[in-house]
Amino acid sequence: MSNLTKFANAGTAKYAMLGEITEELYDSIFGINVKGLLFTVQKALPLLPDGASIILNASIVASKGLPSWSAYSATKAAARSLARTWTTDLKHRGIRVNAISPGFIDTPGLRELLTSTETDQETRAMVKSMVPLCRFGTSDEIAKAVVFLASDDSSSALHAEPLELPADQFRQTHNS
């Protein structure tokens, strides 16, 4: 394992169609998902030794166009952008910065989000159908990817572009 690994995950999910996004929703989601991520890592930076590893939790939705998800998706795209930029900011210290971009992961929060109404149950079925294995990923699967990124086996992953591991890629037919 690397000297030390910082896994940074800041996330809340709120959804609204363009034209219905309020300033309050925007400030809330960007405040937690982007500002929270940036200042968490920045505060931890003096504690990280040279050669450490930082892994940011992004999301596959950063590169997908799902209706009502534009604000949330933009925050996860920002996390991926921060990983790319911080890689160059920290290369003089040999600190690797990577982003992991999981798909939908079966968590209590996701289950609550996708099963609270009949419409949400339809959304859950639609989302599952977009995933090649027709199932949600698990936190154990993501943990294994993070362990790899934290390990010396990924030590060559000091690039201008972070190593992203979409743990649960969407089917290409989801746009039809």
Side-chain angles (χ1 to χ4, degrees):
M1 287 279 177
S2 297
N3 295 335
L4 185 67
T5 299
K6 169 69 178 160
F7 181 77
N9 178 40
T12 187
K14 296 180 181 182
Y15 311 101
M17 297 285 288
L18 183 61
E20 298 172 3
I21 299 170
T22 64
E23 191 170 342
E24 178 182 71
L25 183 143
Y26 176 91
D27 288 344
S28 172
I29 197 167
F30 272 81
I32 293 169
N33 295 6
V34 181
K35 183 179 179 181
L37 186 68
L38 185 149
F39 287 105
T40 296
V41 172
Q42 184 170 281
K43 189 75 168 174
L45 201 54
L47 305 173
L48 297 176
D50 290 354
S53 176
I54 299 170
I55 303 164
L56 306 180
N57 195 33
S59 172
I60 198 68
V61 301
S63 58
K64 304 297 174 191
L66 300 176
S68 300
W69 290 53
S70 60
Y72 175 75
S73 297
T75 68
K76 294 308 182 174
R80 290 169 54 173
S81 182
L82 290 171
R84 285 188 294 275
T85 306
W86 293 346
T87 294
T88 58
D89 285 349
L90 299 172
K91 69 181 177 184
H92 69 283
R93 293 189 52 197
I95 294 177
R96 294 177 288 127
V97 183
N98 288 291
I100 184 166
S101 296
F104 293 95
I105 304 304
D106 189 13
T107 63
L110 181 66
R111 285 191 298 274
E112 181 181 330
L113 181 69
L114 295 180
T115 59
S116 58
T117 69
E118 183 179 318
T119 303
D120 290 339
Q121 290 175 5
E122 291 170 10
T123 301
R124 181 178 174 89
M126 179 202 62
V127 168
K128 270 189 173 180
S129 74
M130 292 188 293
V131 179
L133 295 178
C134 296
R135 68 170 181 82
F136 293 126
T138 68
S139 54
D140 284 345
E141 291 167 326
I142 300 308
K144 289 174 185 175
V146 170
V147 167
F148 167 73
L149 289 173
S151 75
D152 292 335
D153 291 338
S154 73
S155 63
S156 66
L158 181 58
H159 310 291
E161 187 72 22
L163 178 60
E164 296 178 357
L165 298 175
D168 214 352
Q169 199 57 263
F170 284 86
R171 292 177 198 241
Q172 293 300 315
T173 59
H174 80 278
N175 288 325
S176 53

